[in-house]
Amino acid sequence: ERVRGFIINKFRGDIALLRPGLDFLREKTSRPVLGVVPYLDGVSLPDEDGVALQHSARAPRGDGDVRIAVIKLPRISNFTDFDPFRSSPGVSLEFIDDVRGLSGADLVVIPGTKNTLSDLGWLRERGFAEALCAFAQKGGMVAGVCGGFQMLGASVSDPNGVEGGLREARGLGLLDARTVLLEKKSTYQVSASVRAFGPSGAGEPVDVEGYEIHMGSTTGAAEPFARISRRNGVEADVADGGRQGNVWGTYIHGIFDNDEFRASLLDTLRRAKGCGRDASPAESFGARREASIEALAAHVKGSLDIEAVLRIAGLGEWAGLGRS
């Protein structure tokens, strides 16, 4: 009884061939088909779920002089953190689940995870722990975001059993930091200042925005990665993450969405391998994403009976907007 109608999404092919099926659906269910949305290509939109990584783990996205490898943890989360690299000129992005994928990488990132302790164990089982330490010792850059940042430290403890039965695990030891998992999740929209990457290490501060969503509290990092100035619109002064040489970690998701920060990072990676600074103008990832969302909105609106959808949603007073 709760089904009021049907929408066919991401349709490919000749809609005329689909019409007998739509007629059958109406007759069999006595419910209307509110529209068919053709597949929209050429837009920069986040993937719906981790299924998309099954393909990206096999084939790098992009073809460039900088190669970024993201470890595809079994319980990976927030994988859209890396979408800005898809459209960055001269950058190849690859999700890897084998240590052989580290070969030739300029930056290796441990992403967020739904279970830090379990995925930390997986890293050790797959040989990533030793391989990442060797990679960093040879001068490769290693980064961690959220759960990945926690793994880079000396230890992760779970005294309340938030993630399961394991109470503590040894971290990778690439940062002097220790994490304790808490029962309450921290969720913030944040503004922060990060020292950009430069030819000789850390450069001038740049402003970034992003969000935090994590269960842990991490302390002990000798040098913070960022200084958070606002949380959920309220002024703050909070040290975030950690940084030691070519290894760094942060709790800030969306850090790579920030154009100036991303450009400084990529330029540093290019210099490290003798490619020089990228001469192409920096692209605004935010502007490209907004344009794609607007294109999708117009595409969907033109494919559906929007007035019917609004009435079903109890927004009949807005139904007239479907004509505008």
Side-chain angles (χ1 to χ4, degrees):
E1 292 181 355
R2 293 185 177 184
V3 177
R4 302 293 300 277
F6 298 95
I7 295 172
I8 311 298
N9 189 30
K10 291 187 175 181
F11 177 73
R12 298 173 186 260
D14 185 355
I15 194 171
L17 300 178
L18 181 64
R19 294 203 182 281
L22 302 182
D23 294 338
F24 173 84
L25 193 59
R26 293 188 192 95
E27 294 169 4
K28 201 72 175 176
T29 66
S30 299
R31 299 291 186 272
V33 176
L34 301 169
V36 176
V37 183
Y39 183 83
L40 182 62
D41 208 351
V43 292
S44 178
L45 294 168
D47 289 319
E48 293 179 40
D49 51 44
V51 173
L53 299 187
Q54 295 176 2
H55 303 288
S56 57
R58 293 193 294 269
R61 297 181 179 183
D63 182 16
D65 48 299
V66 172
R67 180 170 174 263
I68 298 173
V70 179
I71 299 178
K72 195 181 73 166
L73 301 170
R75 300 160 189 85
I76 188 172
S77 66
N78 303 89
F79 56 88
T80 55
D81 279 343
F82 311 101
D83 283 356
F85 293 123
R86 292 186 191 181
S87 55
S88 295
V91 176
S92 172
L93 174 67
E94 184 177 2
F95 286 83
I96 64 171
D97 55 12
D98 189 289
V99 293
R100 290 173 294 183
L102 300 179
S103 178
D106 301 297
L107 166 65
V108 178
V109 187
I110 309 176
T113 170
K114 300 179 181 72
N115 193 304
T116 301
L117 290 169
S118 293
D119 279 353
L120 182 54
W122 178 86
L123 283 180
R124 294 193 180 283
E125 292 170 5
R126 299 298 291 260
F128 274 107
E130 297 82 0
L132 284 170
C133 290
F135 179 82
Q137 288 173 357
K138 293 177 181 177
M141 184 180 290
V142 179
V145 179
C146 199
F149 161 51
Q150 295 171 345
M151 296 181 200
L152 290 175
S155 66
V156 181
S157 61
D158 185 9
N160 301 304
V162 172
E163 292 190 345
L166 187 61
R167 290 294 188 265
E168 187 165 9
R170 179 168 52 93
L172 301 179
L174 291 172
L175 290 176
D176 294 328
R178 297 180 182 275
T179 297
V180 177
L181 300 181
L182 307 175
E183 293 182 285
K184 183 179 180 181
K185 181 176 290 186
S186 298
T187 56
Y188 303 104
Q189 294 281 347
V190 301
S191 300
S193 175
V194 180
R195 281 201 296 161
F197 295 90
S200 59
E204 294 298 317
V206 297
D207 293 331
V208 299
E209 293 186 349
Y211 65 96
E212 296 179 67
I213 177 168
H214 55 90
M215 303 291 289
S217 173
T218 303
T219 58
E223 179 186 355
F225 176 73
R227 178 67 61 176
I228 295 174
S229 58
R230 297 186 74 82
R231 274 179 163 173
N232 291 345
V234 179
E235 289 189 10
D237 185 10
V238 180
D240 165 77
R243 188 173 195 161
Q244 289 176 220
N246 55 328
V247 179
W248 57 272
T250 179
Y251 273 121
I252 302 176
H253 290 288
I255 185 74
F256 302 117
D257 291 16
N258 296 273
D259 301 327
E260 187 175 359
F261 171 80
R262 188 176 69 256
S264 74
L265 171 62
L266 294 176
D267 284 340
T268 297
L269 295 174
R270 289 187 175 96
R271 289 191 184 100
K273 63 190 306 182
C275 297
R277 181 182 172 89
D278 179 28
S280 61
E283 179 184 29
S284 172
F285 174 73
R288 174 171 178 159
R289 181 173 53 190
E290 284 301 313
S292 293
I293 292 172
E294 290 292 336
L296 176 63
H299 184 68
V300 170
K301 184 177 178 181
S303 305
L304 303 184
D305 184 347
I306 291 294
E307 294 189 18
V309 171
L310 291 171
R311 284 195 299 270
I312 289 171
L315 299 172
E317 68 274 20
W318 298 98
L321 294 178
R323 303 189 189 94
S324 62

